[in-house]
Amino acid sequence: MAAMRKALPRRLVGLASLRAVSTSSMGTLPKRVKIVEVGPRDGLQNEKNIVSTPVKIKLIDMLSEAGLSVIETTSFVSPKWVPQMGDHTEVLKGIQKFPGINYPVLTPNLKGFEAAVAAGAKEVVIFGAASELFTKKNINCSIEESFQRFDAILKAAQSANISVRGYVSCALGCPYEGKISPAKVAEVTKKFYSMGCYEISLGDTIGVGTPGIMKDMLSAVMQEVPLAALAVHCHDTYGQALANTLMALQMGVSVVDSSVAGLGGCPYAQGASGNLATEDLVYMLEGLGIHTYHSCLSMLMFSLVLRAYHDLPHPLTCFSKGVNLQKLLEAGNFICQALNRKTSSKVAQATCKL
Amino acid sequence: MAAMRKALPRRLVSTSSMGTLPKRVKIVEVGPRDGLQNEKNIVSTPVKIKLIDMLSEAGLSVIETTSFVSPKWVPQMGDHTEVLKGIQKFPGINYPVLTPNLKGFEAAVAAGAKEVVIFGAASELFTKKNINCSIEESFQRFDAILKAAQSANISVRGYVSCALGCPYEGKISPAKVAEVTKKFYSMGCYEISLGDTIGVGTPGIMKDMLSAVMQEVPLAALAVHCHDTYGQALANTLMALQMGVSVVDSSVAGLGGCPYAQGASGNLATEDLVYMLEGLGIHTGVNLQKLLEAGNFICQALNRKTSSKVAQATCKL
């Protein structure tokens, strides 16, 4: 792949002046959105080429420097099932842990949870689904049985003061069951929330959803779980991810999962694309005048205090300006070169010479 | 390219009320003109004709067929007369053609055109660079075409480029877009397509622009034409639908590039648009399977991969 250009973009007029920010009231759109960067885990897990531990660590460090506030780092799953995640302990231990940035890791079972905590994890992620068949095929049990497994993790997490995030897969459709009722998604989400997950990400696992279905699903879930605890995780398999995400934002959701360079494929549709690309999401959010970081005053104060006493590499500007699109593009370019693949981000395609 | 998989995913249709979403959307398929015009590989006249025939059979009701522009400027469109004469003209389907000037208009009518398209912009610099005159002067040129069209009972559609941003001027004020659109409408264009020519727009900008234009021109006369250069096309289109727009331009297989951003992608892919509209319960009249076949056909002819995500998901690689 050709070298990255420094200027963003290679355009007749600089992107900053091209980029207009909406002045109209957008109704219920949130003022800030927290982006959960899933490239290093969900993205890489679904890429066929294996990348080395140093490459994974460098990617995550670059994403930290790009100003992302949550970076899903790895998965404590057996390498027998997911070879790409075999180096989970080395990755978690090897990355720079910037203050104010969370580095959650997937823990499919108690054994994985214990290994994650031993490796220094402060936040873990559990993975459920709104589909019985999908749960059966994926983790060989029913939804009810999966809750029992997760309960063990949640109790252990509570004792160890570890935050737990939940995923509900197949929120807009299932490769086996087809339609998934919004009521079922609401039921599973409510269960996760009541068991102790601080946030639940609702995933359109196979990307079949369209904005109306997103609205139906969120309407049901919002009856059961506070909006602030909800996130969306859209796959772009059918090109619907950003439109679905826009709908979620219009409903008031303020946490969005995405993957740098749109990494990841879809195991259920060969050749299909994967996650929503973080670059394209950031582009839209900035155009909508939405801040792309999730920082509270206390975090800002904390970093000010730290900087008074330590020589920190992490620039304060990351907190004040949100995600730095240029640095994000550099991270995307880096991982695509390592994977020997083209980016799936349209913003990255538009700003790179081919 | 490997064989097409036949099965499309089981589709879910929303049951919720979507507020102001239209019940039906007219898709204006611009692949054979806007798409092909921006592709670097030239395709033969028989291929163009076959593509258009396949698009007709897919149920599209408007197919932008060609451009009566000098082949010196746009070699891909050099066979405009042969293409317009060679296609099957199905009843109930419109086959508009671009006519940049009166000479092109006359050639188009002689070749059997029943609808023509004129191409303006909301940016002075873009107009200057593109057709070497000011916006005001461009109106005078278009007026000649509109008067001739009126005499000949030919419909005229207008394009307003740079509706959400300009590669030269940067920001474009919604008021300017409204002014140009209103002028086209008052001069006799039955419909005006508002184009995000370089794909820089985001949904809020789309909303601002449409809010201004809707004050001056009836909603039913408006269309949007979104480019996917920065991945925003479908989200921008959704916003336009929420504002009540019911005519959307798109291009089979997402054909076309962007002359202002090398390597960038082009139009919104018709397949991906149809997928969303069907999911929203909006009537399009389009047969997605046949549309995918048309997209596959033209991508093979162009020796390029499709830019449609739906097509990528349904094809085995």
Side-chain angles (χ1 to χ4, degrees):
Chain A
M1 192 184 285
M4 271 292 294
R5 289 184 44 97
K6 295 283 179 299
L8 213 200
R10 187 185 58 79
R11 301 301 303 280
L12 296 150
V13 175
L15 189 62
S17 57
L18 269 173
R19 292 291 309 289
V21 176
S22 170
T23 51
S24 73
S25 151
M26 288 290 292
T28 51
L29 283 187
K31 292 200 169 6
R32 13 174 64 89
V33 159
K34 178 177 79 172
I35 296 176
V36 175
E37 170 58 52
V38 301
R41 200 282 308 167
D42 191 10
L44 287 184
Q45 181 167 316
N46 286 299
E47 289 285 334
K48 55 186 196 297
N49 294 337
I50 304 281
V51 292
S52 68
T53 307
V55 166
K56 289 189 183 98
I57 289 171
K58 181 165 181 190
L59 170 65
I60 294 164
D61 288 348
M62 289 178 85
L63 292 168
S64 293
E65 298 206 9
L68 288 150
S69 61
V70 184
I71 302 167
E72 202 177 70
T73 295
T74 187
S75 178
F76 280 76
V77 64
S78 164
K80 216 177 21 167
W81 301 120
V82 188
Q84 181 82 278
M85 297 288 121
D87 53 2
H88 42 64
T89 302
E90 294 80 1
V91 171
L92 185 57
K93 286 184 169 176
I95 58 171
Q96 290 186 65
K97 296 201 186 65
F98 291 85
I101 300 182
N102 291 354
Y103 299 95
V105 298
L106 247 70
T107 52
N109 48 43
L110 199 55
K111 180 177 168 192
F113 172 80
E114 287 161 355
V117 174
K122 299 279 181 278
E123 181 176 324
V124 300
V125 187
I126 58 176
F127 223 108
S131 155
E132 285 289 356
L133 268 180
F134 188 88
T135 306
K136 179 81 190 154
K137 294 224 182 222
N138 234 31
I139 55 175
N140 200 25
C141 64
S142 69
I143 292 179
E144 190 53 45
E145 285 162 345
S146 74
F147 287 147
Q148 292 163 19
R149 292 186 195 181
F150 296 141
D151 200 48
I153 299 174
L154 278 147
K155 288 194 159 64
Q158 199 179 32
S159 307
N161 208 23
I162 304 274
S163 307
V164 182
R165 188 184 204 237
Y167 267 127
V168 177
S169 298
C170 300
L172 303 188
C174 171
Y176 309 106
E177 289 188 15
K179 255 194 223 187
I180 294 293
S181 81
K184 189 68 183 176
V185 182
E187 180 195 320
V188 174
T189 309
K190 181 181 180 178
K191 181 73 178 173
F192 270 0
Y193 187 68
S194 68
M195 283 164 68
C197 290
Y198 79 94
E199 189 173 276
I200 299 102
S201 179
L202 307 165
D204 184 12
T205 307
I206 48 170
V208 285
T210 43
I213 307 299
M214 172 65 85
K215 185 174 181 174
D216 290 347
M217 184 275 292
L218 285 173
S219 299
V221 175
M222 282 159 60
Q223 310 266 354
E224 308 289 347
V225 176
L227 198 45
L230 299 179
V232 293
H233 181 117
C234 297
H235 276 229
D236 207 36
T237 323
Y238 296 92
Q240 309 295 305
L242 200 63
N244 290 342
T245 300
L246 176 63
M247 176 55 71
L249 294 171
Q250 291 175 332
M251 301 284 285
V253 169
S254 64
V255 184
V256 180
D257 299 1
S258 61
S259 178
V260 64
L263 292 183
C266 178
Y268 304 97
Q270 188 179 347
S273 62
N275 287 283
L276 170 61
T278 307
E279 299 91 318
D280 301 358
L281 170 66
V282 168
Y283 187 97
M284 182 178 78
L285 294 175
E286 286 188 352
L288 288 168
I290 294 174
H291 262 295
T292 54
Y293 75 103
H294 183 81
S295 172
C296 61
L297 192 58
S298 63
M299 192 163 78
L300 203 58
M301 293 303 293
F302 174 65
S303 76
L304 280 169
V305 168
L306 271 185
R307 282 181 68 79
Y309 293 94
H310 300 275
D311 187 17
L312 285 180
H314 189 61
L316 190 62
T317 51
C318 278
F319 287 112
S320 56
K321 288 181 182 171
V323 175
N324 180 316
L325 187 50
Q326 181 63 52
K327 291 192 177 203
L328 182 63
L329 286 163
E330 286 165 17
N333 184 50
F334 166 75
I335 194 61
C336 286
Q337 290 210 33
L339 285 164
N340 192 29
R341 61 157 275 175
K342 288 187 175 160
T343 182
S344 296
S345 155
K346 292 277 176 110
V347 172
Q349 285 170 36
T351 50
C352 276
K353 259 191 172 40
L354 285 186
Chain B
M1 194 182 284
M4 278 285 300
R5 283 196 33 188
K6 296 285 179 297
L8 282 162
R10 282 163 293 177
R11 299 300 311 285
L12 315 158
V13 179
S14 168
T15 50
S16 74
S17 150
M18 289 290 294
T20 51
L21 283 187
K23 293 201 169 10
R24 0 174 62 89
V25 159
K26 178 176 79 173
I27 295 176
V28 176
E29 170 58 49
V30 300
R33 200 281 309 167
D34 191 10
L36 287 183
Q37 181 166 315
N38 285 299
E39 289 285 334
K40 54 187 197 295
N41 293 339
I42 304 282
V43 292
S44 68
T45 306
V47 166
K48 290 189 182 98
I49 289 171
K50 181 165 182 191
L51 170 65
I52 295 165
D53 289 348
M54 289 179 85
L55 292 168
S56 292
E57 297 204 10
L60 288 150
S61 62
V62 185
I63 303 167
E64 203 178 69
T65 296
T66 187
S67 178
F68 280 77
V69 65
S70 163
K72 214 174 28 166
W73 301 119
V74 188
Q76 181 82 278
M77 299 285 120
D79 53 2
H80 41 64
T81 302
E82 295 80 0
V83 170
L84 185 57
K85 286 184 169 176
I87 58 172
Q88 291 185 64
K89 296 201 186 68
F90 291 79
I93 301 182
N94 290 355
Y95 300 94
V97 298
L98 246 72
T99 52
N101 47 44
L102 199 55
K103 179 175 167 194
F105 172 80
E106 287 160 355
V109 174
K114 299 278 181 280
E115 181 176 325
V116 299
V117 186
I118 57 175
F119 223 109
S123 154
E124 286 289 357
L125 267 180
F126 187 88
T127 306
K128 179 80 191 156
K129 296 231 181 213
N130 233 31
I131 56 176
N132 200 24
C133 64
S134 69
I135 292 179
E136 190 54 45
E137 287 162 344
S138 74
F139 288 146
Q140 291 162 19
R141 292 186 196 181
F142 297 141
D143 200 48
I145 299 174
L146 278 146
K147 288 194 157 66
Q150 198 177 34
S151 306
N153 207 22
I154 305 273
S155 306
V156 182
R157 188 185 204 235
Y159 266 127
V160 177
S161 299
C162 301
L164 304 188
C166 171
Y168 308 104
E169 289 188 15
K171 263 193 217 184
I172 294 292
S173 81
K176 189 68 184 176
V177 182
E179 182 194 318
V180 174
T181 309
K182 180 181 183 179
K183 182 74 179 173
F184 270 0
Y185 186 69
S186 67
M187 284 164 69
C189 291
Y190 80 93
E191 188 173 278
I192 298 102
S193 179
L194 307 165
D196 184 12
T197 307
I198 48 171
V200 285
T202 43
I205 307 302
M206 172 65 85
K207 184 173 182 175
D208 290 347
M209 183 276 291
L210 284 173
S211 299
V213 175
M214 282 159 60
Q215 311 265 354
E216 307 289 345
V217 177
L219 198 46
L222 299 178
V224 293
H225 181 117
C226 297
H227 277 229
D228 207 37
T229 322
Y230 295 91
Q232 309 295 305
L234 200 63
N236 290 343
T237 300
L238 175 63
M239 176 56 71
L241 295 170
Q242 291 174 331
M243 302 284 285
V245 168
S246 63
V247 184
V248 180
D249 299 1
S250 62
S251 177
V252 63
L255 292 183
C258 179
Y260 304 96
Q262 187 181 347
S265 62
N267 287 284
L268 171 61
T270 307
E271 300 91 320
D272 301 358
L273 171 66
V274 168
Y275 187 97
M276 182 177 78
L277 294 175
E278 285 187 1
L280 288 168
I282 294 174
H283 181 81
T284 62
V286 175
N287 178 317
L288 186 51
Q289 182 60 50
K290 291 194 175 197
L291 181 63
L292 285 163
E293 287 164 18
N296 184 50
F297 166 75
I298 193 61
C299 286
Q300 290 209 35
L302 284 165
N303 193 29
R304 62 159 271 175
K305 288 188 175 160
T306 181
S307 296
S308 155
K309 292 278 177 107
V310 171
Q312 284 170 36
T314 49
C315 277
K316 260 186 166 45
L317 286 189

